[in-house]
Amino acid sequence: MKNKQNICSQSTELLIEQLRMQRRNQSIILNPRYLDDEKLPGFERSHILQAIFNRNIREKQLKRIIMHLAPILDGVHPSSALVYGPTGSGKTITLMHVLNSFSSVAAKFEQSFDYSYIDLTSPKTFFGALNETAIAIDPETRRYRKGVPIEQMQEQIIKSLKLKPGYHCFLIDEADNIRPNVDQFLTFLAKTLPRKVHCRIILILLTNRLDWEKTLDPRIISFLKKTDIIFEPYDAMDLLEILNLRVNKALDARKVDEAAIKKIAAVAARENGDARKAVEILVKSVKIAEETSGQLTNKEVDLAEEHLEQDKSEALIHALAQHQRLALKACYRMMHTSRLSKIYTGDAYQAYRKVCTDCAVRPLTQRRFSDAISFLDLYGLINARIIFKGRYGNTREISGVLTQQVVARFLKTIE
């Protein structure tokens, strides 16, 4: 018995060593930190950004931002700026790069220029936004808890800024995330604060929403005297440059097919021009390549794109409320069992009632079930097209959009 156990142990140890050697032989990644900016030290991240901007990526936007700030070098106070652009279009990194560089140039012209980055990428109240502002100006400021008077927060910001000379720029990321008192926040920064401190205030507001300024009080738009700057989505050539920088820093170029990198850039540009999406596809493709062939080719890119789409759909499904999941299950189960590509709302509701009975859950009314179908359609988990039937009223024609693998896993896990 002991001999048998020794043989099994030796066999397992040998398997571990063999798989380690296989993994090393198929490894493509040389420096994984360059595939994830969060793992890079500040100076390395700055070096990467410098390399990106040296390749003339975002040149048009760089020129517009610099032209907007250039009067500072001659002692002239520029207006505020509102920067629009979709997610992943490089607004934040471009502005931070320009403002860092501008600080150095301003010193040569004997102008004092500084900036504070206010991160509002998660929704904040008026109090929360003031808290982030106080910490951005002075990192040693402690984070205040709720219950502190708004006036005390404002006084803390004024106190910190009174020590600063020259010009001070507030770079406010996702400014539209302040709810519900964004008007009060902007009024404090753009109107009240300049009257209380000696330094001259400049606001640069970043947002993904082109219609955001329509939600602001017209009086705020008036005293901001803003300049609009648009960041278009990256095109395929820009994304290819960004990806090549990552490949050169992070991967073994001998195991990477150039055509695969071009395909990733084309896929990301076709979808939404999101640089983060392009890097995400690259990382997924590399992982698949290391688990299979040890080479990054078009085949691995296709698999990565398919897996990412499935991962996104399954994450959405898991986030659904109970009745939304049951409604989704009813639709796909009925299409599967009846072998129909399209079903109608009335039939889907009957299937939903049966699913609720099986799960011992009280069903929603047909009207609320119809709302759930609209929600599922909005998030791209089904297609629900309204069909007009004249005197007989309207109904929805429901069809599936999820892959067979995702549907199979979903129906299995919810049983």
Side-chain angles (χ1 to χ4, degrees), residues 94-226:
T94 302
L95 264 299
M96 292 182 79
H97 170 73
V98 169
L99 293 175
N100 277 323
S101 301
F102 201 87
S103 297
S104 302
V105 175
K108 296 178 183 177
F109 284 78
E110 298 182 347
Q111 294 288 350
S112 178
F113 176 84
D114 195 10
Y115 80 96
S116 299
Y117 172 63
I118 304 172
D119 183 6
L120 301 179
T121 47
S122 59
K124 302 287 182 185
T125 60
F126 177 33
F127 176 84
L130 288 174
N131 215 342
E132 294 295 334
T133 304
I135 293 167
I137 297 169
D138 182 5
E140 294 184 4
T141 300
R142 66 187 179 90
R143 191 174 292 277
Y144 289 90
R145 295 181 179 179
K146 291 180 181 179
V148 174
I150 292 291
E151 292 76 14
Q152 182 178 334
M153 293 296 304
Q154 292 174 334
E155 284 301 321
Q156 177 62 43
I157 292 168
I158 292 167
K159 180 181 176 183
S160 298
L161 274 181
K162 276 185 175 178
L163 305 175
K164 294 184 179 292
Y167 297 87
H168 191 85
C169 176
F170 286 108
L171 177 59
I172 307 174
D173 203 356
E174 307 287 0
D176 52 288
N177 265 340
I178 305 170
R179 300 181 184 130
N181 297 320
V182 64
D183 291 340
Q184 285 181 265
F185 181 68
L186 294 179
T187 300
F188 171 69
L189 289 185
K191 197 170 184 179
T192 307
L193 195 56
R195 296 172 181 171
K196 303 283 187 178
V197 298
H198 296 297
C199 65
R200 288 182 274 186
I201 305 294
I202 305 156
L203 301 185
I204 298 182
L205 311 170
L206 309 184
T207 179
N208 301 330
R209 294 172 50 196
L210 283 170
D211 62 342
W212 177 59
E213 69 172 281
K214 295 178 183 177
T215 66
L216 299 176
D217 189 317
R219 290 170 293 183
I220 292 175
I221 300 296
S222 175
F223 63 67
L224 278 177
K225 298 181 178 64
K226 64 180 180 61

Side-chain angles (χ1 to χ4, degrees), residues 20 25 128 131-132 211 228 339:
R20 174 182 176 273
N25 291 337
N131 215 342
E132 294 295 334
D211 62 342
D228 291 342
R339 297 186 179 180

